Amino acid sequence: MMSYHDPVVQGGFTPTPDTARAFRDALGRFATGVTIVTINRTAGPMGFTANSFSSLSMDPPLVLWSLAKSAQRYPYFAGADHFAIHVLAADQLHLIDRFHRNGPGFDGLKHEFSAHGVPLLAGALARFECEMHTTYEGGDHLIVVGRVQRVVCEDGAPLVFLGGRFRQFSAMA
């Protein structure tokens, strides 16, 4: 078992080449859900996987996710007026490879479109159809806040990401 006991640094922690792995490992101890964010653009539908999703506000209904500024798809997602966030079910692991860098994305994948033309994936545990509300600078990421316009919720077990691996959630008895 790895153990890191770095001293507290006044003014905050700044990862260095020596401590970046410890920082990443510590973040990996927090289990997250897995989502696919989708948009439509002139050239067709586009999506990518994200585990940075979070609720933000109930009134108004706001959610957030973050987008790496270094991502090839950054300009499209940062400039989208509408998007959908799909919370993946445990049996949707196959969608991850479709939406990773250089994956086939929507090619050959059955999908529908929202009233705003956003591509929608079937079978997600939850789907949040959003209008862009605002964005914030967040270091090497852009924090995207969406105002939820429609929500769909299904029964099932979630796909989770923990310790650098995709996993299935198992409820404690």
Side-chain angles (χ1 to χ4, degrees), residues 73-84:
R73 300 173 188 173
Y74 177 86
Y76 304 108
F77 284 89
D81 292 331
H82 293 89
F83 55 88

Side-chain angles (χ1 to χ4, degrees), residues 58-81:
M58 292 294 288
D59 186 16
L62 301 175
V63 294
L64 66 83
W65 54 282
S66 62
L67 174 63
K69 293 177 182 176
S70 62
Q72 290 177 324
R73 300 173 188 173
Y74 177 86
Y76 304 108
F77 284 89
D81 292 331

Side-chain angles (χ1 to χ4, degrees), residues 32-33 35 37 48-54 64-67 141-142:
T32 63
T35 69
V37 181
F48 80 96
T49 58
N51 66 345
S52 58
F53 171 74
S54 181
L64 66 83
W65 54 282
S66 62
L67 174 63
H141 280 66
L142 181 71

Side-chain angles (χ1 to χ4, degrees), residues 52-117:
S52 58
F53 171 74
S54 181
S55 61
L56 181 61
S57 170
M58 292 294 288
D59 186 16
L62 301 175
V63 294
L64 66 83
W65 54 282
S66 62
L67 174 63
K69 293 177 182 176
S70 62
Q72 290 177 324
R73 300 173 188 173
Y74 177 86
Y76 304 108
F77 284 89
D81 292 331
H82 293 89
F83 55 88
I85 303 166
H86 304 80
V87 177
L88 297 187
D91 64 355
Q92 291 183 303
L93 182 61
H94 65 281
L95 291 176
I96 301 301
D97 288 335
R98 292 191 74 86
F99 292 99
H100 268 301
R101 185 178 318 145
N102 300 322
F106 282 96
D107 290 345
L109 182 64
K110 185 178 176 183
H111 60 282
E112 298 178 354
F113 289 93
S114 73
H116 292 284

Side-chain angles (χ1 to χ4, degrees), residues 4 6 13 18-27:
Y4 302 103
D6 291 332
F13 175 77
D18 294 335
T19 60
R21 181 78 253 169
F23 182 57
R24 190 172 190 84
D25 289 347
L27 291 172

